[in-house]
Amino acid sequence: MTLASSARKRVQLAGVSALALTASAFIPASAVAQSAPASTSTVETIIVTTTRREENVQDIANSVTAQSGEDLAPLTEGGADILSLAARIPSVYAESSNGRVAPRFYIRGLGNTDFDLAASQPVSVIMDNVVMENVILKSFPLFDIAQVEIARGPQGTLFGRNTTAGTIKFDSVRPTQETDGYVSVSTASYGTTNLEAAMGGALVEDVLSARLSLLSQHRDDWIDNGFTGDNNALGGYDEQAGRAQLLYTPTESFDALLNVHARSLVGTSAVFRANILTPGSNALNSNYVRDEVYFDSAFNNPQAYDSWGTSAALNYYTDAGVTLTSITGYEAAEGYSLGDIDGGNLVTGPGFIPFPSETQDGIDSLEQFTQEFRIASSDDQPTTWQIGAYYFSGEFDITTVGPNGGFPPSTTVRHDNTLWSAFGQVSHQLNDNLQLSGGLRFTHDAKELVGVVTSIPVAPVSASDDQFSWDLSAYYDLDDRQAVFARLARGFRGPSIQARDVAFFNPPSIADSETSTSFEIGYKSEPLDGRARFNATAFYYQVDDLQLSAVGGGGNLVQLINADRGVGYGFEIDSEMWVTDNLFVTAGLSWNETELQDNDLEVGVCAQCTVLDPDTDNDGFVEVDGNPFPQAPDYILSLTARYSIPAGNGGEWFAYTDWFYQGRTNLFLYESEEFYSDGNFEGGLRLGYAGEMSGGQDYELAVFARNITDEDNLVGGIDFNNNTGFVNEPRIVGVSFRASLN
């Protein structure tokens, strides 16, 4: 699915009445014409850059979903962060045990549950054409976004940084010669405020333009600490971010886009809640109180992070139609998160807590440098091609320490990663209907770990690998509004090093490289004379040497392991439709089956839960062969609808709603009666008026609610001490105002 915009204009992206379009896309044209809704509106063309070229999303041999910044606005106006994308798009999920930083993304069930700040992820997040490799960089807040594109399946040919699962690509609104901008203000429950503003335009006519974008988000502390007696002790945050861009266009043959961005976050990390799951059940019990915890620490899970970065994207257009591109990026970050891991106290619990646990993890002096060069042919030829090279260098220190210098003792390790690659891709229009494409990439990936301050001797550890990634695809036009495609692709994720266990007197662990082979077939259409869009894809993939993180368990381990293989298969549907000129609906559906395949793979288990997997050799470790991947919903259903009533003078009253429903999701590698979710859902509602000011500026005034039914959804757990869990955000009700500036 994609979300329908709540703004006044009829927008591009989104996703539809899957049932209505499933029926209409395959019945005879005469029947469609007789039953078609009375609407003259048509879906807008969606241009994406998944292939590193500007192309219609309907013309790409890949499963791609795109959303505009206006589509994201209903999700973020209540103060939500990047995790708001979770379960809003078919086959896409996200979660975090680190609050508003370190999100973990999953596509088609493939992701990584590792909470360490050095964790490698198979989903690559790209912001303004720069890969954000570290999990802290992936959490940069969303504001003044032009579009987000989600490409499912391996994308290793053109995006060669850990893309065995797919890519999530964000593009900011670029500067133009036209003066434009916006101001968006909202206030809501728990003292939540969300302020966004942007302004851009020409500095030198036809030569230099600029755009400045700002974000400020705030929420009051609203959760009481019942053990210490502190009211409103945690739960709030202050997030500030900004972006400045300059677009230099001295001639028609050259342009340069310069980008500088920064963010500062101070607030509460994830809120862990002790024993909110009763042994034998995954239902939240009476120990769970939404606005109260019982921490035996006065620190109350603080979190603070600062980051900044800059990039330069240069393009030179030759007379022969060839484009030379250079993209240079630099990112820096530092900060920490502290968590009361047991989620309670030894005196009052809640429930039985055998020992206290509080840990702070911080990242120091993170620096990332990237450089990419590309040479691409013109787009108007039967055969198009592009070649390029990529370089990545990253280094950072991670420090783990117990409260007040206690257990675990202060431990610092340094991670270093160097990667370089070369790639090429070619597409050929064989005839009027058939296009064939292929690509190849060679990657060298090397990582190293050094112990800086450790309680046990840690010799330097290194791992490296050289691999090829590739893809082959065919795209066939059935007619002007229907096409089918097939794609075969191989992805690669380099070796990983995990050293958080060094703080607990265990050596670092290493996971070998994983490779994925994916096959998908798809159907793309715009039926009902262009009033609808219906795209569907079926897929199967196999990951060899699947990298996994054995997290928690009674031994409190955080170790990397490899499974012999993992497989996934399923389908996804993206759809949208103008039912009438006043009603626009979207729907998305995905079904994903995943399975670990390794007869010898064993993992540790929880301290107090009911394990369902066998322990045939009675060594305390259970066999997980055949289990689903962790944090992989077996299905996701999403729906939006927007209805408007004209009000004269170009204005309108509108109602907009969005919902998702999430199927069974196992939280760990083993299966238990407690640590899974099933049937999580959330909905949102906006009611308002959109019109035009006397100066021609558009404006919108609305009341809104996020999680309108105030659902308490289990989204994660901690299993090593007691049955600790953490939940979704509470219901947020507020009012918003947005005005364009032009």
Side-chain angles (χ1 to χ4, degrees):
M1 145 214 132
T2 42
L3 294 175
S5 171
S6 62
R8 185 166 60 93
K9 69 178 185 179
R10 292 168 185 163
V11 290
Q12 340 176 3
L13 317 167
V16 201
S17 176
L19 296 179
L21 283 180
T22 300
S24 66
F26 300 106
I27 58 179
S30 58
V32 171
Q34 292 172 8
S35 61
S39 170
T40 58
S41 300
T42 59
V43 295
E44 293 191 21
T45 300
I46 303 171
I47 301 299
V48 295
T49 56
T50 303
T51 61
R52 293 296 181 95
R53 299 177 182 273
E54 293 187 353
E55 292 187 277
N56 187 332
V57 71
Q58 298 300 101
D59 296 336
I60 296 176
N62 195 185
S63 178
V64 179
T65 296
Q67 294 183 346
S68 71
E70 292 181 60
D71 298 326
L72 299 175
L75 302 180
T76 59
E77 65 183 347
D81 60 6
I82 198 170
L83 291 174
S84 60
L85 290 176
R88 302 287 176 175
I89 300 162
S91 293
V92 176
Y93 186 61
E95 50 87 25
S96 175
S97 56
N98 284 287
R100 294 172 69 86
V101 300
R104 300 186 284 261
F105 289 98
Y106 306 78
I107 295 180
R108 292 177 174 170
L110 185 56
N112 185 3
T113 59
D114 193 346
F115 61 82
D116 188 67
L117 298 178
S120 165
Q121 301 291 342
V123 177
S124 188
V125 175
I126 302 155
M127 294 187 174
D128 292 325
N129 289 308
V130 175
V131 172
M132 300 296 173
E133 175 62 10
N134 186 270
V135 289
I136 300 302
L137 300 179
K138 296 178 192 290
S139 67
F140 195 83
L142 305 181
F143 60 102
D144 201 23
I145 298 294
Q147 187 162 277
V148 55
E149 302 170 15
I150 294 90
R152 306 175 186 91
Q155 307 295 320
T157 299
L158 295 177
F159 300 94
R161 186 68 258 202
N162 295 342
T163 53
T164 49
T167 59
I168 301 177
K169 183 174 180 289
F170 297 92
D171 291 305
S172 303
V173 177
R174 291 165 56 100
T176 67
Q177 285 285 303
E178 301 296 324
T179 300
D180 70 334
Y182 72 96
V183 172
S184 177
V185 182
S186 64
T187 181
S189 314
Y190 306 109
T192 301
T193 57
N194 190 90
L195 170 63
E196 296 182 35
M199 176 60 75
L203 298 180
V204 178
E205 186 175 357
D206 297 330
V207 174
L208 185 64
S209 54
R211 188 174 183 90
L212 178 65
S213 312
L214 301 172
L215 169 73
S216 177
Q217 292 180 314
H218 169 83
R219 180 169 295 167
D220 294 339
D221 288 327
W222 58 278
I223 301 175
D224 300 336
N225 188 335
F227 183 76
T228 63
D230 294 332
N231 294 327
N232 299 324
L234 66 161
Y237 54 81
D238 281 288
E239 177 97 71
Q240 317 292 331
R243 182 188 306 111
Q245 299 178 85
L246 285 175
L247 179 59
Y248 179 55
T249 54
T251 67
E252 292 184 355
S253 61
F254 178 78
D255 61 63
L257 179 62
L258 307 179
N259 179 315
V260 178
H261 49 273
R263 67 94 66 99
S264 178
L265 168 66
V266 176
T268 300
S269 186
V271 180
F272 306 127
R273 302 168 183 271
N275 290 307
I276 61 174
L277 302 174
T278 302
S281 171
N282 78 319
L284 299 177
N285 59 31
S286 59
N287 291 330
Y288 169 72
V289 180
R290 168 72 85 173
D291 60 356
E292 189 172 31
V293 294
Y294 309 91
F295 294 168
D296 53 5
S297 166
F299 292 117
N300 292 316
N301 288 24
Q303 179 176 81
Y305 274 92
D306 294 301
S307 69
W308 78 277
T310 184
S311 65
L314 314 179
N315 292 295
Y316 178 73
Y317 312 96
T318 69
D319 293 338
V322 174
T323 301
L324 310 179
T325 299
S326 168
I327 301 174
T328 308
Y330 174 83
E331 301 291 332
E334 61 182 8
Y336 73 93
S337 296
L338 185 146
D340 191 315
I341 308 303
D342 59 83
N345 64 89
L346 273 62
V347 180
T348 63
F352 174 62
I353 298 176
F355 55 88
S357 177
E358 185 177 57
T359 308
Q360 176 178 302
D361 288 327
I363 197 163
D364 304 315
S365 304
L366 182 150
E367 291 186 292
Q368 172 189 296
F369 173 79
T370 57
Q371 176 63 59
E372 181 169 4
F373 295 107
R374 289 200 315 271
I375 305 174
S377 68
S378 62
D379 297 338
D380 58 356
Q381 302 296 321
T383 301
T384 60
W385 53 266
Q386 54 184 311
I387 59 173
Y390 178 78
Y391 175 79
F392 173 95
S393 176
E395 182 181 270
F396 52 88
D397 291 352
I398 293 180
T399 298
T400 300
V401 63
N404 299 316
F407 184 82
S410 181
T411 301
T412 300
V413 295
R414 177 167 300 142
H415 290 264
D416 185 272
N417 182 200
T418 301
L419 176 148
W420 62 265
S421 61
F423 60 91
Q425 188 189 49
V426 62
S427 296
H428 178 66
Q429 192 72 40
L430 195 63
N431 54 48
D432 289 343
N433 299 92
L434 179 62
Q435 183 185 65
L436 303 177
S437 300
L440 181 68
R441 188 183 194 107
F442 175 80
T443 300
H444 171 79
D445 195 351
K447 293 180 179 177
E448 183 178 86
L449 173 112
V450 176
V452 179
V453 177
T454 63
S455 297
I456 61 172
V458 176
V461 178
S462 62
S464 64
D465 199 5
D466 301 325
Q467 290 279 352
F468 283 98
S469 304
W470 50 263
D471 68 81
L472 297 169
S473 65
Y475 178 94
Y476 188 82
D477 281 306
L478 299 174
D479 55 38
D480 289 344
R481 295 196 179 275
Q482 298 182 94
V484 293
F485 71 87
R487 182 174 186 261
L488 179 65
R490 183 182 192 270
F492 161 63
R493 179 154 67 116
S496 298
I497 303 175
Q498 165 65 271
R500 192 178 187 278
D501 260 9
V502 171
F504 299 90
F505 312 110
N506 292 304
S509 57
I510 299 176
D512 295 332
S513 302
E514 71 177 24
T515 57
S516 65
T517 303
S518 169
F519 176 70
E520 62 184 74
I521 55 174
Y523 171 77
K524 299 191 176 189
S525 66
E526 293 183 348
L528 304 176
D529 294 327
R531 294 192 298 278
R533 179 177 289 118
F534 179 84
N535 296 340
T537 307
F539 63 87
Y540 174 89
Y541 66 84
Q542 176 177 306
V543 185
D544 293 317
D545 296 318
L546 173 64
Q547 291 186 21
L548 299 169
S549 297
V551 176
N556 189 24
L557 300 175
V558 184
Q559 294 184 343
L560 294 174
I561 56 177
N562 287 100
D564 283 346
R565 70 188 59 83
V567 299
Y569 56 90
F571 68 85
E572 54 231 358
I573 295 173
D574 271 310
S575 51
E576 61 185 69
M577 180 169 65
W578 285 101
V579 180
T580 70
D581 283 342
N582 302 99
L583 176 60
F584 184 68
V585 295
T586 84
L589 172 66
S590 61
W591 171 66
N592 291 269
E593 286 292 326
T594 59
E595 182 179 302
L596 300 172
Q597 296 184 351
D598 189 329
N599 293 328
D600 299 321
L601 186 61
E602 295 183 328
V603 300
V605 297
C606 52
Q608 298 187 37
C609 75
T610 309
V611 181
L612 301 177
D613 297 313
D615 179 9
T616 56
D617 52 7
N618 296 313
D619 62 353
F621 291 80
V622 300
E623 292 82 38
V624 295
D625 180 55
N627 283 0
F629 297 175
Q631 293 288 5
D634 58 5
Y635 67 87
I636 292 173
L637 175 65
S638 51
L639 175 71
T640 76
R642 185 181 190 275
Y643 185 75
S644 61
I645 302 174
N649 297 322
E652 65 177 14
W653 297 96
F654 67 86
Y656 170 82
T657 188
D658 62 275
W659 296 83
F660 78 80
Y661 191 91
Q662 178 185 333
R664 185 182 176 93
T665 307
N666 199 47
L667 301 186
F668 297 108
L669 291 172
Y670 62 86
E671 292 190 286
S672 70
E673 295 282 8
E674 298 83 7
F675 289 111
Y676 73 93
S677 65
D678 194 5
N680 285 357
F681 72 93
E682 278 189 26
L685 178 67
R686 304 184 82 243
L687 303 172
Y689 179 83
E692 187 175 288
M693 301 178 187
S694 58
Q697 295 88 355
D698 294 331
Y699 74 94
E700 177 192 271
L701 180 64
V703 294
F704 67 88
R706 305 304 309 162
N707 189 12
I708 189 171
T709 57
D710 203 20
E711 298 301 311
D712 298 297
N713 293 328
L714 178 70
V715 296
I718 300 176
D719 64 347
F720 84 94
N721 184 309
N722 62 82
N723 292 338
T724 291
F726 44 99
V727 299
N728 62 328
E729 291 289 293
R731 176 168 53 205
I732 302 293
V733 179
V735 59
S736 66
F737 175 79
R738 180 184 178 98
S740 66
L741 305 173
N742 49 44

